[in-house]
Amino acid sequence: MTNVRHTRREFLAGAGAISGVFLGGCDRSPGPSGAASGTAAPSGPADVTLRIGTVLADIAKEHTISTQGYNGSVPGPVVRLREGVGVTVDLFNDTDTPELVHWHGQIIPAAVDGAAEERSLAVPAHGHLRYQLTPQPAGARFVHTHVMAMSDVNRGTYTGQFAFVYIEPKNNPGRYDQEVFLATHEFEPFFGAEEMEEETGSESEAAEHKEREAREQQGKANGWEIGYQRFTINGKCLGYGEPVRVKEGQRVLFHILNASATENIQLALPGHQFQVVALDGNPVPRPQMVDVLELGTAERISAVVEMKTPGVWILGTPKDDDRKNGMGIVIEYANKTGSPRWVKPQKKPWDYTIFGGPASTQSPIQTIPLVFGKINGGQGGFNRWTINGKGFDENAAPTMLQKGRRYRLVLDNQTDDAHPIHLHRNSFELTNVEGKATSGILKDVVLVKGYKKVEVDVTPAMDGLTLFHCHQQLHMDYGFKLLFNVV
Ligand SMILES: [Cu+2]
């Protein structure tokens, strides 16, 4: 509750400081200043309306859950925007607690980004908030709640408060016959004493050994981990929702979002390959074919699948238990019937660099090491997370960055967990992944595996407070955050 009150205070303080947001004009001219510019208060209906409230979601046969969502559905409806064309946004909050609506992956002012640490505007409980923003950059983005959940797994990203945002590019997005949005999410979370199953990509024995040693030194066991009873794509367990209907010869463009609170996932479609064309909505230098997609929490992949193996198939996770509990969706060719088929894909590690260009030749003005650490919470406790030895401190001065200058962030994971690392209000360029130099891959989340190192370059595009954090809700809530201030 402390965090909620904090949010509210920021809301009141923020309202005076950036009243331009409330008074934003009807001016729809493109430009990054759209949100804070304008004169007359826009009246009439907004371009985008999100109403936050309780949703009764039928996620499986005779299985209805109560959660919170946008506009009465889980996920919320796809929000389609146009790059550079300003919109008026109406947020209504029908719940009893203030909410933060975060426009993930967009380069927009801190006031409307939707993070308490950035002093963004919050939507009061049973209240309304109107502002303007100018969507950018083009591609697959999303919108989700940014409140802290701490030990309450009925809040934050554990709920159904998420929706795809697709920002139409100014230019032709590519050749395809059908566009399909798929968002994964788990429901009915519970606390477990240990990791429920192997973490994607941290399975090396050396890492496990290191972790055990660290625990022994600390004399403390690992703290709570989260498990789930139900797994969904577009709010439905496998076999319950409508299948994706395709025709032989079609090129289907899938936009896939991992909208999980805590899980990193893999997805495969037997008999087919994914041609990955964009990561986190940004076109990659070298589109490549892969059999299995991997997405850390909050990552997006846009991939074209050529439908050339007629039948009824399962697009799902290779983890058998999770798939049986719902993580999948049926892909059905026209005139084909029968039980959907699943074939286990071959194991092959995900490698971002296959989509990238040659080593970056650009030099940063400064290299900033960010070492991730873990303090085991012990049995029945919560692990604490640190960056350069410190957990997040809201009273600490933010780390200063200069707008338009290039910085290299060295993401050095000294823990056995894989962390989906997110930077708000910017895209960063991968320059080195686990020792492999690369360029041209622009992202806003990167999965840094256990005891691995990833380097990313960022040139802050806009001034203001900019939050950096692990997108795993439990990690973020327990210290895994850092605040930048761009001037
Ligand atoms: Cu993490």
Side-chain angles (χ1 to χ4, degrees):
M1 287 307 287
T2 319
N3 294 295
V4 172
R5 281 194 211 101
H6 172 72
T7 301
R8 185 158 196 154
R9 203 167 57 231
E10 305 282 75
F11 162 66
L12 294 170
I18 41 160
S19 56
V21 169
F22 287 102
L23 303 172
C26 301
D27 174 15
R28 296 184 156 224
S29 61
S33 60
S37 68
T39 47
S43 55
D47 302 293
V48 177
T49 300
L50 292 181
R51 189 172 273 279
I52 307 158
T54 300
V55 179
L56 296 176
D58 299 323
I59 62 170
K61 196 171 184 217
E62 289 165 8
H63 196 90
T64 302
I65 58 158
S66 177
T67 183
Q68 290 165 357
Y70 297 140
N71 297 3
S73 71
V74 173
V78 176
V79 178
R80 279 197 175 263
L81 303 170
R82 285 167 63 200
E83 188 179 15
V85 179
V87 287
T88 301
V89 177
D90 258 350
L91 303 175
F92 294 94
N93 181 2
D94 293 340
T95 76
D96 297 332
T97 48
E99 267 297 341
L100 285 156
V101 174
H102 171 47
W103 298 96
H104 185 118
Q106 292 205 45
I107 301 171
I108 51 174
V112 296
D113 185 54
E117 298 80 359
E118 296 174 353
R119 297 179 166 74
S120 301
L121 301 167
V123 207
H126 300 284
H128 167 228
L129 175 62
R130 172 173 281 208
Y131 55 68
Q132 288 204 297
L133 65 83
T134 302
Q136 62 171 344
R141 319 268 151 224
F142 81 119
V143 58
H144 65 85
T145 173
H146 213 284
V147 301
M148 309 258 281
M150 304 308 287
S151 62
D152 184 354
V153 292
N154 296 308
R155 287 181 57 70
T157 54
Y158 299 108
T159 70
Q161 291 179 68
F162 61 94
F164 253 110
V165 174
Y166 192 74
I167 303 178
E168 306 280 355
K170 285 175 188 153
N171 304 314
N172 189 350
R175 192 173 64 81
Y176 58 85
D177 303 301
Q178 208 189 141
E179 193 176 32
V180 177
F181 291 88
L182 302 178
T184 69
H185 190 78
E186 301 80 12
F187 288 104
E188 300 182 346
F190 57 88
F191 288 113
E194 260 303 334
E195 280 158 60
M196 253 47 69
E197 51 211 313
E198 88 275 17
E199 266 274 3
T200 314
S202 68
E203 43 304 74
S204 91
E205 279 178 39
E208 277 174 26
H209 179 73
K210 248 183 168 177
E211 166 67 8
R212 255 197 313 277
E213 260 184 1
R215 277 182 209 177
E216 278 160 20
Q217 274 169 17
Q218 283 189 337
K220 262 191 169 184
N222 194 39
W224 289 124
E225 300 279 350
I226 305 274
Y228 298 91
Q229 299 193 60
R230 301 276 177 165
F231 296 70
T232 65
I233 293 184
N234 290 356
K236 306 285 181 195
C237 293
L238 173 61
Y240 183 64
E242 289 292 305
V244 175
R245 295 191 172 87
V246 301
K247 288 187 184 125
E248 189 174 357
Q250 271 189 337
R251 284 167 61 84
V252 178
L253 174 60
F254 286 97
H255 297 294
I256 300 174
L257 157 68
N258 179 355
S260 176
T262 58
E263 298 292 292
N264 305 317
I265 63 160
Q266 295 190 329
L267 291 172
L269 174 57
H272 300 77
Q273 282 195 306
F274 297 95
Q275 186 193 25
V276 174
V277 294
L279 294 176
D280 292 350
N282 308 307
V284 294
R286 287 191 300 168
Q288 297 287 325
M289 293 290 200
V290 296
D291 294 319
V292 182
L293 303 174
E294 183 173 294
L295 301 103
T297 300
E299 285 192 294
R300 288 88 65 207
I301 294 178
S302 301
V304 175
V305 177
E306 218 180 306
M307 294 297 166
K308 52 184 184 186
T309 318
V312 183
W313 300 96
I314 292 173
L315 189 167
T317 172
K319 286 185 178 175
D320 293 337
D321 287 346
D322 296 358
R323 199 175 59 257
K324 280 170 195 145
N325 289 325
M327 186 53 78
I329 190 166
V330 174
I331 308 290
E332 188 182 285
Y333 279 71
N335 307 315
K336 292 290 167 188
T337 53
S339 310
R341 282 183 65 199
W342 170 257
V343 183
K344 196 177 176 66
Q346 295 223 316
K347 255 198 172 175
K348 207 176 160 197
W350 176 257
D351 180 1
Y352 290 115
T353 64
I354 66 170
F355 311 109
S360 174
T361 52
Q362 300 220 55
S363 321
I365 60 150
Q366 194 189 333
T367 295
I368 303 174
L370 298 167
V371 179
F372 308 148
K374 174 183 185 176
I375 301 164
N376 282 339
Q379 214 175 13
F382 289 95
N383 300 320
R384 304 265 161 183
W385 302 90
T386 59
I387 299 174
N388 295 341
K390 293 190 195 97
F392 183 69
D393 174 3
E394 62 180 353
N395 297 314
T399 302
M400 303 303 282
L401 300 176
Q402 281 180 285
K403 187 163 89 177
R405 308 298 292 271
R406 189 180 179 94
Y407 295 87
R408 183 155 298 168
L409 309 181
V410 180
L411 314 177
D412 183 357
N413 183 3
Q414 295 291 333
T415 79
D416 69 329
D417 301 68
H419 298 291
I421 300 299
H422 175 44
L423 180 66
H424 281 232
R425 306 179 54 233
N426 286 279
S427 300
F428 48 70
E429 181 181 2
L430 306 191
T431 49
N432 193 299
V433 181
E434 300 177 11
K436 286 185 194 171
T438 186
S439 68
I441 303 171
L442 296 172
K443 293 181 61 49
D444 49 66
V445 180
V446 65
L447 189 60
V448 185
K449 295 189 174 172
Y451 297 107
K452 299 288 190 216
K453 212 186 264 186
V454 172
E455 295 181 6
V456 304
D457 283 13
V458 60
T459 305
M462 248 185 220
D463 57 16
L465 297 171
T466 299
L467 188 63
F468 170 95
H469 65 92
C470 178
H471 216 283
Q472 212 275 26
Q473 178 93 45
L474 200 58
H475 299 180
M476 174 177 88
D477 288 347
Y478 287 94
F480 207 141
K481 289 191 280 198
L482 183 74
L483 192 60
F484 289 110
N485 192 11
V486 178
V487 291

